[in-house]
Amino acid sequence: MNILIDNTSKTPIYEQIVNQIKESIMNGSLNEGDALPSMRQLAKDLKVSVITTKRAYEELENEGYTYSVVGKGSFVKEQNLEQIRERKLKLLEEMIDDVIQNSKSVNLSKDELFELINILYEE
């Protein structure tokens, strides 16, 4: 598992870990039953606090991406493809809402926004 931490990002480190593990699960890099590194090992590899990795793992479990077995570690939980699609759609809706708000703040018309989307989509 390859997790990259951006220390200059405004996103908290634990959230960067969560987001990258979620993405690995959703894109199939991590599959059902795959073991995650121990919290201590991940903290050591990323040069962060164990408290940070513990928080990330707890959030992943609370959101239903992983489960833990006492004394054995954390594992990827079976994912329902429809749930994954819904999560991605929800994230996409939030991102589109941000784009719309930013477009309005610079007086970009809906047509201009669609034109920009069409140009970028073709690339």
Side-chain angles (χ1 to χ4, degrees), residues 110-120:
K110 191 186 324 182
D111 289 337
E112 290 171 318
L113 178 58
F114 285 146
E115 182 179 343
L116 179 59
I117 290 170
N118 284 327
I119 291 168
L120 294 174

Side-chain angles (χ1 to χ4, degrees), residues 55-108:
R55 184 169 180 188
Y57 278 28
E58 285 174 348
E59 184 151 328
L60 286 164
E61 189 165 346
N62 289 338
E63 291 183 22
Y65 287 92
T66 62
Y67 65 94
S68 60
V69 177
V70 177
K72 296 202 183 237
S74 293
F75 301 87
V76 176
K77 194 173 185 178
E78 178 183 2
Q79 300 297 306
N80 178 319
L81 295 179
E82 188 59 34
Q83 286 178 339
I84 291 172
R85 185 175 191 284
E86 284 300 316
R87 288 179 189 146
K88 284 187 175 185
L89 282 174
K90 183 176 185 266
L91 180 61
L92 189 57
E93 287 173 9
E94 291 169 2
M95 293 167 67
I96 290 172
D97 187 51
D98 286 343
V99 168
I100 291 169
Q101 296 310 314
N102 285 325
S103 297
K104 287 179 178 179
S105 74
V106 295
N107 295 320
L108 194 67

Side-chain angles (χ1 to χ4, degrees), residues 10-21 52 56 59:
K10 292 181 181 179
T11 305
I13 292 172
Y14 84 91
E15 199 171 313
Q16 292 180 49
I17 295 168
V18 168
N19 292 339
Q20 290 180 54
I21 292 175
T52 301
E59 184 151 328

